[in-house]
């Protein structure tokens, strides 16, 4: 259902695992490392996950998705470690009888995965800086607390 | 006093310069552990975007902590 | 942008053609031949397209999608000919900077493709019958007009 | 009288038993061509879910037809 991977994600293989003769619709989402984020030129990035809870929470997310938008199968894989531009950071795939459920469940899973799983992203910029994404407030508070 | 294991993740670990430590604290809630370790993680706002887990279960900031608990302090997540 | 194919669709290859360093999101949809439709056990099906207008209309759909939900690249391939259960009948892929546009453009394309392109589907059932999908009214009128 | 080429697709072609024919018709709109060829395509309702194209451009049922036009009669589509 959900896994954390330290090696390249293979969407093709993951897709094939969801094949089902009852499935009329397959929706997939991939998050790719892009070369800019919030005005910064990004060189690469690094994901860190706390795997035990990422798995527990990810399973909940997938179960919720398949309950809210009845589908057949859903799977998610999240990368950890260092990633280069263009690499796949997260993959979600859903099959269902009809397309509406596949789209909605897929969207639900990626939205919740981004907000709920203990996974953190550190960006390395072209100018040599680096920073943890979404952590400006804790960083600036950290600095003012020094 | 309670003996608590506190684990720091991502930016918190970087700031703390360590991943885990065992502390003797008076804390009765997760929020109090967060406050008592502010000199480590450096974050002012426990009720903001940060999360906490106790013994590998997601918890809330007002969850009670017991002697021997492992408290995981999570900075704002950014998966995907 | 859009093509009609009489041979197996290869999602993996199509996905790779959309890779872009500015892309942070990739959403794909596939329509698969499933073993039941509206209460009938389906054995196989056959798609027929009027290719010149399917291409013209498909190009319009894709241009509209990328205008409404600004994305980077979008592509669609629709199969024609005889297909077995589990085969991919239609594939849509979209890349964009952020996920919202990728999901919405992908959904827009498949919805419009289904409604606007001159493509027809004939189902062959396990019980030996066959029928053109969405054509009950013209079929029943046809019979009563005999 | 106009000389029109009428093409039938999918279920219309099956019912008509032919893909295309050249007809001499009095029709002035696509709808009239549809009505005049009902014995071929067998469909009662031109303004329903069927579509029409004239000379490889999507048209509406009240589009005028001219001598030499090619009229494409499309039954309800079902892509995807």
């Amino acid at each position: 259902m959900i896994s954390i991977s330290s090696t390249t994600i293979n969407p093709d293989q993951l897709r094939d695992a969801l094949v089902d003769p009852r499935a009329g619709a397959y929706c997939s989402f991939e998050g790719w490392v892009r070369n800019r984020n919030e005005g910064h030129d990004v060189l690469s990035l690094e994901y860190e996950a706390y795997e035990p809870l990422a798995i527990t929470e990810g399973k909940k997310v997938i179960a919720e998705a398949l309950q809210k938008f009845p589908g057949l199968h859903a799977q998610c894989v999240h990368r950890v470690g260092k990633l280069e531009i263009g690499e796949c950071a997260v993959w979600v795939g859903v099959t269902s009888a009809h397309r509406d459920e596949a789209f909605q469940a897929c969207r639900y899973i990626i939205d919740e995965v981004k907000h709920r799983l203990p996974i953190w992203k550190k960006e390395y910029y072209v100018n040599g800086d680096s920073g943890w994404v979404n952590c400006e407030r804790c960083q600036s508070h950290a600095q003012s607390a020094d | 006093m309670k003996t608590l294991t506190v684990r720091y993740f991502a930016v918190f670990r970087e700031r703390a310069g360590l991943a885990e430590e065992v502390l003797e604290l008076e804390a009765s809630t997760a929020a109090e552990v967060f406050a008592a370790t502010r000199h480590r993680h450096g974050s002012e706002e426990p009720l903001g975007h940060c999360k906490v887990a106790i013994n590998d279960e997601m918890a809330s900031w007002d969850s009670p902590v017991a002697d021997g608990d492992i408290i995981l302090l999570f900075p704002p997540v950014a998966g995907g």
Side-chain angles (χ1 to χ4, degrees), chain A, chain B:
Chain A
M1 297 249 288
I2 177 139
S3 59
I4 303 295
S5 172
S6 56
T7 57
T8 304
I9 290 174
N10 184 333
D12 202 32
Q13 209 173 311
L14 290 162
R15 167 192 179 278
D16 291 349
L18 298 181
V19 164
D20 187 308
R22 298 167 299 170
Y26 165 78
C27 181
S28 81
F29 176 82
E30 297 179 27
W32 294 351
V33 180
R34 67 200 165 93
N35 61 7
R36 281 186 73 77
N37 192 26
E38 293 176 12
H40 297 287
D41 289 313
V42 176
L43 197 61
S44 65
L45 54 80
E46 199 169 351
Y47 280 101
E48 172 180 337
Y50 180 58
E51 189 164 331
L53 271 185
I55 297 286
T56 307
E57 200 67 10
K59 280 182 182 169
K60 279 186 209 161
V61 164
I62 288 175
E64 288 163 15
L66 291 176
Q67 206 207 338
K68 283 177 198 281
F69 313 106
L72 293 164
H73 309 289
Q75 179 132 8
C76 175
V77 182
H78 204 296
R79 269 295 299 277
V80 287
K82 197 113 183 188
L83 279 79
E84 306 299 324
I85 304 300
E87 277 199 86
C88 179
V90 60
W91 175 91
V92 180
V94 177
T95 50
S96 59
H98 301 284
R99 72 187 182 286
D100 197 47
E101 290 78 8
F103 270 103
Q104 294 208 66
C106 188
R107 180 68 195 259
Y108 182 85
I109 292 168
I110 186 63
D111 285 356
E112 297 297 306
V113 159
K114 279 173 178 272
H115 288 113
R116 287 164 53 180
L117 270 58
I119 296 176
W120 302 276
K121 174 160 63 177
K122 187 175 189 174
E123 291 180 333
Y124 293 85
Y125 306 112
V126 171
N127 68 8
D129 287 348
S130 64
W132 291 92
V133 174
N134 289 350
C135 267
E136 278 145 68
R137 197 199 275 155
C138 48
Q139 291 280 49
S140 67
H141 280 145
Q143 275 147 21
S144 65
D146 271 335
Chain B
M1 294 289 274
K2 290 164 185 158
T3 303
L4 300 171
T5 301
V6 182
R7 296 186 62 182
Y8 306 104
F9 291 83
V11 67
F12 289 174
R13 184 190 61 246
E14 280 191 1
R15 282 198 60 77
L18 49 83
E20 179 178 316
E21 60 186 334
V22 178
L23 299 171
E24 302 289 316
L25 294 174
E26 285 288 1
S28 60
T29 64
E32 287 174 32
V33 175
F34 195 82
T37 54
R38 183 160 292 134
H39 63 290
R40 295 293 202 198
H41 57 73
S43 180
E44 291 287 343
E45 196 177 3
L47 305 176
H49 298 105
C50 303
K51 294 184 202 287
V52 64
I54 302 175
N55 303 329
D56 274 356
E57 299 229 0
M58 295 305 299
S60 56
W61 291 109
D62 57 7
S63 298
V65 294
D67 191 57
D69 279 353
I70 303 170
I71 317 298
L72 313 179
L73 299 182
F74 297 151
V77 302

